[in-house]
Amino acid sequence: MAFDTDIIILGAGPGGATASLVLGKLGYRCILIDKASFPRDKICGDALSGKVVDILRKIDPALVDRLALDDRHLPCWGLQFISPAGDVLEVPFRLDYKQRSASERAPGYIARRQDFDHFLLNEALAQGNADFRPGLSIRHIERIDGGFSVSPSQGPALTCRLLIAADGAHSVAAKALAGRELEPVHHSAAVRGYYTGVADLHPDHFIELHYLRDLVPGYFWIFPLPGGRANVGLGLRSDVIAKRRLDLKKVFQQTIENHPEFKRRFAHAEPEGPLRGFGLPLGSRKRSLSGDGYLLVGDAASLIDPFTGEGIGNAMISGSWAAKQAVAALEAGRSDAAFLQAYDQNVYRQLGDELMLSYQLQRLAAYPRLFNFVVRKASRNPVLKETISCMFEDLDMRERLRKPSFYLKLLFARS
Ligand SMILES: Cc1cc2nc3c(=O)[nH]c(=O)nc-3n(C[C@H](O)[C@H](O)[C@H](O)COP(=O)(O)OP(=O)(O)OC[C@H]3O[C@@H](n4cnc5c(N)ncnc54)[C@H](O)[C@@H]3O)c2cc1C
């Protein structure tokens, strides 16, 4: 059977754009489809973690240079955890960050998705391997002999041997091919708004995660953006929202209007556009990521970190593995589920431990007293602060958070 192309990538967000970019580097063509025309918005906190920088560096170090030189991407040097009791734990991503030279690259960035996703897509299209089809909303996916036929709401269907499905949290492909349904215990919902004039943003653009008593295990965030803007939002696990019958938009308004700290900081702040909500499929359960002829990527594969809500880096990592597996499949002349299993193994080898640790941390965060205790102790003890700083780089350090001995040491640690 003649196909329109060997590989279709559905979705040109970070997962799909990275898959296309890596295919380009490996010399393979694809059709890249998105229902949107770019630049397009995506409801998000807009924080690009060190993982995003790392995967870009792995693909091509020049990508990090171009990311850094684009002033729509704000360098970020750390984060602040604020406990339910109001103690602040400031965690730089690099301990010596204050001694940095002017030309040094930041460990992370914050950028509106409208800007970052467009940047990444342009980098992918610059490879010249992708036939990009914007404005094509895929409604139906059908198995055909040796491949798939994907049908848009308007116009003719397209056929392929292999499908890389990176069509986000409401993935048509994940539902049609893998039977995925929303699982409230492994899913969060969040609302986000853009603001100008929020007082006291961090001078080195640290992102702020406020674990408010009524919101744990979720959090309220303030992330600085270029031009004095801020991305502000809050998110919580969907089963908790349902159980407490919360209206997140109302909770958001009440938080900035009534919480003493935010009331002051938002006194002269102006919203830019409406508050908007979206879902986060969490990677707190291991699932199958592929099957006969298809590979699920990013949110379509439910790979968002259950503790931090970070999903851009994981989408890019899975997009990169999906591209490599697709090439291996074409070279071997095999696209059966057993062959594509190597993709699941590669993704979970890289992300599996981290996702499970984050799940445990999310569960710990549900206990405000424990959270208060850890943040208070750590914020007063330089060695512990350093340890937690390193946790962002080093998974073994994070492992310690799970162990009772960590809390015993914390209990007896001297400030
Ligand atoms: C409120 C909120 C805050 C978040 N904050 C952060 C954060 O600060 N940092 C972080 O790392 N992550 C964050 N995340 C998670 C992050 O947004 C996602 O993990 C990330 O966007 C996943 O990338 P993706 O490429 O898999 O999917 P997406 O970015 O959703 O891209 C999917 C693409 O597929 C296209 N598409 C969808 N359906 C179809 C269709 N039927 N036909 C054609 N095209 C289609 C869409 O137009 C879109 O361009 C947040 C999420 C939410 C909801």
Side-chain angles (χ1 to χ4, degrees):
M1 152 139 210
F3 295 96
D4 291 317
T5 180
D6 282 332
I7 305 168
I8 285 182
I9 302 175
L10 184 55
T18 304
S20 176
L21 182 53
V22 172
L23 281 179
K25 295 275 182 204
L26 296 172
Y28 279 77
R29 297 196 60 77
C30 63
I31 293 180
L32 175 62
I33 298 174
D34 203 291
K35 65 181 177 188
S37 293
F38 284 66
R40 62 102 179 88
D41 186 22
K42 155 78 178 78
I43 299 162
C44 186
D46 298 338
L48 308 173
S49 69
K51 244 189 231 175
V52 172
V53 179
D54 282 350
I55 178 82
L56 286 175
R57 188 174 289 120
K58 262 192 200 134
I59 296 170
D60 179 355
L63 292 169
V64 179
D65 295 333
R66 292 200 283 275
L67 175 87
L69 290 173
D70 186 331
D71 60 11
R72 296 171 304 169
H73 306 142
L74 188 74
C76 173
W77 293 91
L79 60 79
Q80 291 180 320
F81 283 112
I82 298 91
S83 74
D87 288 306
V88 180
L89 173 62
E90 190 156 291
V91 185
F93 293 142
R94 253 198 14 224
L95 290 172
D96 58 350
Y97 83 101
K98 284 207 163 115
Q99 281 85 51
R100 65 187 184 271
S101 70
S103 59
E104 245 171 272
R105 299 282 176 250
Y109 289 83
I110 317 155
R112 289 187 314 169
R113 292 290 298 277
Q114 185 170 327
D115 299 324
F116 174 70
D117 288 16
H118 197 209
F119 162 85
L120 193 61
L121 175 65
N122 281 338
E123 291 290 349
L125 297 182
Q127 299 295 313
N129 65 312
D131 172 359
F132 182 44
R133 311 280 181 98
L136 217 56
S137 180
I138 297 304
R139 292 292 164 87
H140 189 65
I141 300 172
E142 196 186 337
R143 274 190 190 282
I144 51 173
D145 191 16
F148 295 99
S149 164
V150 301
S151 308
S153 49
Q154 283 179 335
L158 291 162
T159 57
C160 63
R161 220 180 279 280
L162 276 167
L163 180 66
I164 297 182
D167 51 339
H170 304 294
S171 169
V172 175
K175 198 165 184 186
L177 304 176
R180 291 276 184 100
E181 299 286 348
L182 190 153
E183 297 171 85
V185 190
H186 301 287
H187 185 274
S188 282
V191 291
R192 169 226 75 183
Y194 286 123
Y195 280 81
T196 52
V198 178
D200 296 342
L201 296 176
H202 195 283
D204 291 305
H205 316 138
F206 281 32
I207 59 174
E208 301 172 36
L209 310 180
H210 297 260
Y211 288 82
L212 306 176
R213 193 180 307 280
D214 297 336
L215 210 63
V216 288
Y219 61 82
F220 176 84
W221 73 78
I222 303 177
F223 294 172
L225 278 165
R229 284 200 180 97
N231 178 319
V232 186
L234 64 82
L236 188 58
R237 243 180 32 219
S238 299
D239 61 315
V240 183
I241 296 174
K243 202 168 151 197
R244 298 188 198 159
R245 297 170 189 248
L246 296 176
D247 174 338
L248 286 193
K249 289 188 179 172
K250 266 195 197 149
V251 178
F252 180 94
Q253 282 307 333
Q254 284 162 358
T255 305
I256 61 171
E257 283 165 19
N258 302 331
H259 187 285
E261 164 82 356
F262 302 130
K263 199 171 162 181
R264 181 187 64 78
R265 292 182 64 189
F266 283 82
H268 303 291
E270 288 292 334
E272 277 189 347
L275 195 62
R276 297 177 64 197
F278 206 72
L280 296 90
L282 306 175
S284 41
R285 187 167 84 71
K286 202 169 173 185
R287 302 165 172 98
S288 166
L289 307 179
S290 60
D292 280 325
Y294 72 87
L295 303 153
L296 303 178
V297 161
D299 283 8
S302 302
L303 288 176
I304 295 183
D305 187 293
F307 183 53
T308 62
E310 180 204 346
I312 302 169
N314 291 354
M316 294 174 69
I317 287 168
S318 55
S320 169
W321 282 120
K324 290 179 199 159
Q325 191 61 38
V327 167
L330 291 178
E331 287 178 354
R334 282 186 61 181
S335 58
D336 53 285
F339 188 82
L340 297 183
Q341 259 295 311
Y343 166 68
D344 298 39
Q345 284 160 14
N346 286 324
V347 171
Y348 279 123
R349 195 174 301 126
Q350 187 167 357
L351 299 177
D353 284 355
E354 187 183 322
L355 287 171
M356 286 312 122
L357 273 178
S358 286
Y359 183 37
Q360 303 218 6
L361 293 181
Q362 183 218 76
R363 288 161 55 144
L364 282 183
Y367 301 98
R369 281 194 181 161
L370 183 62
F371 215 94
N372 286 337
F373 170 69
V374 174
V375 170
R376 180 162 304 148
K377 274 280 184 182
S379 62
R380 291 172 188 176
N381 183 310
V383 177
L384 279 172
K385 231 169 116 166
E386 210 168 287
T387 308
I388 291 179
S389 237
C390 295
M391 281 174 190
F392 285 85
E393 295 300 321
D394 181 349
L395 205 58
D396 288 344
M397 289 283 201
R398 264 193 240 181
E399 182 75 40
R400 291 186 201 172
L401 262 188
R402 281 206 302 181
K403 298 199 171 130
S405 57
F406 174 84
Y407 296 94
L408 276 175
K409 276 186 206 146
L410 204 61
L411 192 62
F412 296 111
R414 280 204 226 133
S415 302

